[in-house]
Amino acid sequence: MEKEKITVKQDKNMKISELLKEQIQKSKYPVVAVKLNNEYKSLDSYIEESGEIQLVDITEKEGMKIYRRTLTFIMGKAFESLYPEAHVIVDYQLSNAMYCTIENMEITNEMIEKVKQKMQDIINQDLKIERKTMNREEAEEFYQKTNTPKGRLQFDFKENKYIHMYYCEDYYNYIYEIIATHTGIISIFDAKKYSKGFVIRYPSTSQPDILPEFKETKKLLWALEEYETIYRILNVGTVYRLNKAVKENRIKDLILLSEALHEKKISQIADKISNKKGVKMVLIAGPSSSGKTTFAQRLGIQLKLNGLKPVTISVDNYFVEREDTPRNENGDYDFECIEAIDTELFNKHLVALLNGEEVEMPEFNFHKGTKEYKGKKIKLEKDEILVIEGIHCLNDKLTEKISQDQKYKIYISALTVLNMDSFNRISTTDTRLIRRIVRDNQFRGYTAKDTISTWNNVNKGEEKYIFPFQEEADSIFNTSLIYELGALKNEAMPLLEQIKNDEREYAEARRLIKKLRYFEPIPKELVPSNSLLKEFLGGGDF
């Protein structure tokens, strides 16, 4: 539910936290920031313009991100106090947790328990977190004196006239986006050793006052670690390193290596399918803008090399009749839930095909809300294999009449392994959103505003119907490309800049623009024609 809007008058001497002190104190959940004229602002910001202001608490997506970043900052302070030599890296998001590693030290249960206790101590003290600003001359002196990598990215970006750091007592760090103004804002968290690193756990927006159960995602973590290891060998783990490759004219080699990695992984998956006895069906699922269409086509080529001919079936042709479509809590048709699929008919057709029978395939008429039969018949030959792509493909309910040994499940997503720097990761969701903004404009005529306005609902569907089943996959394929945000930048930036500050989507647009501006642009002409990225940029082979 949208928060109440409060009209404010410009007052450059008044902090937002002072003006809205009463409203912040009365809020049921911790307020971590505000939106002033549809742009996110820290509570310590001054009211530099008149307009409308809304509180941002931790029941909102951006509010929980601020909570998470603040928690990461506190973790950094705890480590510097206890283990100042530790080079901590914030790697990925796993379930409701951030997975972190230490590059130069062995991680033990005792170490993480001490860090957790120190974090709680910092939180209990409710220490002030201040954002301090330096001009470039002051920043140059600061970096010469401290010899720190913290925030170097913003200093190396010559267009930045000012450099920012967050300070808490004598600890400082660069956090790319807004964090809270006090450590006491953190009410619930946990830290524990996990795999080769440790996790920092936090609540969800839907239940901000409890810590959810930590669900292991071993396959997902393995896929992420595999890609990160490769890119570290190539010395491209951060935006700084990627930009360096562009400036030194090494980007073409990096693009070819990234694409070769994709081809190698697709080939390995095709080999696994071919070597698994009895498999007659490949099921592909993944969140929006993962590149499922191109992946399926490229996998098909590799399967042909192994002597298997792919036959594609679209789950979208098996929706139930419109009058039978379930409705959500708002009374709208819920096309995302599995009950919106005619699973009985779908399974009946699959069983018939696997038994060598001929089946007349339906074609769903979305305008009329009904299945139509236009004489399209298929029969599966011995050297043919079904390839099915859809939101519910990892959920066994979709193919409940088919035995497990006949199915091979693949989960794909753009699992970003590139970081801004050691403490500032690039969200996988942000990468997919930027992909979708470019694709929706290119092929569907949608504006960036249109895409952003529906993105939260898209995410809710993914969290409900895709992510819970990702560990069921036989293979996980990471569709991210280390160079892609540089290649998408020139297409995405003008679209985002069209969103005006009186539009609700402006806050998200500004956040993405600020991120993209740090990337050196990469000409889209350098992207190979068979690249998965061409699904979004256009002009590809598929």
Side-chain angles (χ1 to χ4, degrees):
M1 194 171 73
E2 193 172 43
K3 299 287 189 297
E4 176 193 359
K5 291 181 180 179
I6 303 160
T7 302
V8 295
K9 289 184 179 179
Q10 183 187 54
D11 186 345
K12 294 186 178 181
N13 296 314
M14 174 71 77
K15 282 186 177 181
I16 290 169
S17 57
E18 294 167 0
L19 180 70
L20 303 179
K21 186 177 180 181
E22 188 179 341
Q23 290 93 329
I24 291 168
Q25 288 176 342
K26 283 182 178 178
S27 175
K28 183 179 178 181
Y29 296 106
V31 174
V32 289
V34 296
K35 269 202 289 187
L36 174 59
N37 293 333
N38 289 318
E39 189 165 5
Y40 293 112
K41 299 282 185 183
S42 165
L43 293 177
D44 271 350
S45 298
Y46 289 93
I47 304 167
E48 295 182 345
E49 57 182 327
S50 300
E52 290 186 323
I53 203 166
Q54 290 172 286
L55 301 181
V56 176
D57 66 31
I58 62 171
T59 63
E60 297 173 60
K61 191 176 176 182
E62 188 59 29
M64 188 52 73
K65 284 182 182 179
I66 292 168
Y67 186 98
R68 186 172 72 217
R69 290 193 290 266
T70 306
L71 188 57
T72 302
F73 180 85
I74 292 168
M75 179 267 289
K77 178 171 168 59
F79 262 102
E80 186 154 294
S81 172
L82 297 170
Y83 306 98
E85 69 279 16
H87 183 201
V88 180
I89 298 172
V90 179
D91 286 297
Y92 332 109
Q93 189 175 348
L94 297 176
S95 190
N96 279 88
M98 291 305 301
Y99 178 71
C100 308
T101 53
I102 301 178
E103 207 169 58
N104 59 341
M105 289 178 70
E106 183 186 351
I107 298 170
T108 64
N109 288 317
E110 183 187 10
M111 171 196 280
I112 302 307
E113 187 57 37
K114 282 183 179 178
V115 169
K116 177 182 169 181
Q117 289 172 7
K118 187 64 179 176
M119 288 173 70
Q120 189 62 62
D121 181 47
I122 293 166
I123 291 164
N124 292 344
Q125 292 180 66
D126 193 21
L127 300 171
K128 177 69 179 165
I129 302 173
E130 291 184 275
R131 186 175 187 249
K132 295 186 179 179
T133 302
M134 299 172 268
N135 61 35
R136 293 197 67 84
E137 190 177 310
E138 291 167 335
E140 190 164 1
E141 188 180 328
F142 168 81
Y143 280 114
Q144 285 176 353
K145 182 181 175 182
T146 58
N147 193 31
T148 179
K150 295 174 183 176
R152 283 297 312 212
L153 178 66
Q154 57 171 340
F155 181 70
D156 291 334
F157 186 65
K158 303 301 179 188
E159 290 181 32
N160 280 342
K161 293 179 182 177
Y162 299 99
I163 310 303
H164 307 285
M165 284 283 181
Y166 281 103
Y167 278 78
C168 182
E169 296 184 320
D170 58 348
Y171 173 73
Y172 64 87
N173 207 338
Y174 171 63
I175 304 296
Y176 169 68
E177 295 175 284
I178 294 169
I179 63 173
T181 57
H182 289 81
T183 61
I185 205 78
I186 302 297
S187 54
I188 301 169
F189 83 99
D190 191 21
K192 69 171 188 175
K193 187 179 181 304
Y194 180 69
S195 187
K196 299 173 186 174
F198 62 96
V199 288
I200 302 293
R201 298 172 57 208
Y202 47 85
S204 66
T205 53
S206 58
Q207 295 180 299
D209 37 17
I210 63 167
L211 198 64
E213 177 190 354
F214 178 66
K215 294 177 182 176
E216 287 203 280
T217 51
K218 289 181 179 178
K219 291 179 183 178
L220 185 67
L221 179 60
W222 179 85
L224 284 161
E225 286 181 334
E226 182 188 35
Y227 268 70
E228 187 177 46
T229 301
I230 291 164
Y231 286 125
R232 277 188 183 167
I233 291 168
L234 296 175
N235 203 19
V236 189
T238 62
V239 176
Y240 168 77
R241 296 288 182 189
L242 177 65
N243 287 343
K244 200 165 183 284
V246 176
K247 290 173 185 175
E248 294 174 358
N249 293 318
R250 293 184 288 108
I251 193 61
K252 192 170 182 180
D253 286 346
L254 188 61
I255 289 171
L256 292 174
L257 286 165
S258 297
E259 296 292 347
L261 176 60
H262 267 194
E263 199 60 46
K264 182 180 179 181
K265 293 297 168 190
I266 294 170
S267 172
Q268 288 173 346
I269 292 171
D271 290 345
K272 287 177 183 177
I273 293 166
S274 303
N275 293 332
K276 189 177 177 184
K277 266 191 171 183
V279 172
K280 294 298 289 179
M281 183 182 302
V282 178
L283 296 151
I284 304 167
S288 173
S289 303
S290 294
K292 294 184 286 294
T293 303
T294 303
F295 170 77
Q297 302 231 31
R298 285 176 65 173
L299 178 65
I301 290 171
Q302 293 292 341
L303 288 171
K304 285 177 185 177
L305 285 174
N306 285 339
L308 294 172
K309 295 176 184 173
V311 175
T312 304
I313 291 182
S314 175
V315 180
D316 285 354
N317 285 324
Y318 284 86
F319 278 107
V320 297
E321 302 302 291
R322 186 60 44 82
E323 64 268 20
D324 298 325
T325 304
R327 294 180 183 268
N328 61 24
E329 63 275 10
N330 300 320
D332 300 321
Y333 287 122
D334 186 355
F335 296 111
E336 303 291 307
C337 69
I338 195 163
E339 289 75 20
I341 303 296
D342 190 342
T343 54
E344 186 178 342
L345 179 64
F346 189 60
N347 278 271
K348 181 182 176 183
H349 282 183
L350 292 179
V351 169
L353 286 168
L354 296 183
N355 287 336
E357 300 169 26
E358 186 176 73
V359 171
E360 185 176 3
M361 307 302 291
E363 187 177 309
F364 198 82
N365 185 320
F366 287 92
H367 180 68
K368 294 180 180 178
T370 186
K371 290 184 280 293
E372 295 176 343
Y373 293 86
K374 299 180 178 179
K376 182 187 175 184
K377 297 179 180 180
I378 64 170
K379 185 179 180 183
L380 208 61
E381 303 299 334
K382 286 186 178 180
D383 61 347
E384 291 181 327
I385 186 168
L386 291 173
V387 176
I388 304 167
E389 175 253 299
I391 185 173
H392 299 292
C393 276
L394 299 186
N395 184 347
D396 277 327
K397 191 174 178 182
L398 181 72
T399 53
E400 59 188 348
K401 302 290 186 191
I402 311 302
S403 63
Q404 292 295 338
D405 59 350
Q406 290 182 298
K407 296 186 272 194
Y408 193 95
K409 299 176 189 173
I410 304 171
Y411 174 74
I412 80 167
S413 186
L415 305 167
T416 311
V417 296
L418 183 74
N419 283 359
M420 300 294 280
D421 61 25
S422 296
F423 257 73
N424 294 273
R425 66 181 294 275
I426 295 172
S427 160
T428 289
T429 307
D430 281 353
T431 301
R432 290 193 293 110
L433 175 54
I434 291 165
R435 281 181 173 188
R436 182 157 170 160
I437 286 167
V438 173
R439 185 194 65 190
D440 281 1
N441 181 260
Q442 182 97 292
F443 300 110
R444 300 175 184 177
Y446 295 165
T447 64
K449 179 179 179 292
D450 295 332
T451 303
I452 291 171
S453 69
T454 61
W455 190 239
N456 272 345
N457 286 334
V458 170
N459 289 162
K460 284 177 185 175
E462 293 166 350
E463 287 167 8
K464 198 171 181 181
Y465 302 119
I466 298 178
F467 298 150
F469 300 98
Q470 62 192 16
E471 289 293 302
E472 302 296 318
D474 296 296
S475 289
I476 292 180
F477 179 70
N478 186 354
T479 70
S480 76
L481 290 153
I482 202 77
Y483 70 90
E484 69 176 273
L485 289 177
L488 290 165
K489 176 180 178 176
N490 284 346
E491 309 298 317
M493 289 279 274
L495 300 175
L496 291 164
E497 285 165 351
Q498 289 172 9
I499 299 176
K500 299 179 177 65
N501 67 355
D502 61 348
E503 296 175 310
R504 192 173 61 176
E505 294 76 16
Y506 182 76
E508 186 71 348
R510 293 309 305 169
R511 193 181 66 78
L512 294 174
I513 286 168
K514 287 175 183 176
K515 186 164 288 185
L516 284 170
R517 64 198 285 266
Y518 281 109
F519 286 81
E520 286 289 326
I522 296 169
K524 65 178 181 179
E525 292 74 27
L526 292 180
V527 180
S529 61
N530 70 336
S531 173
L532 190 141
L533 202 54
K534 287 290 190 179
E535 185 172 322
F536 309 95
L537 289 169
D541 294 339
F542 304 109

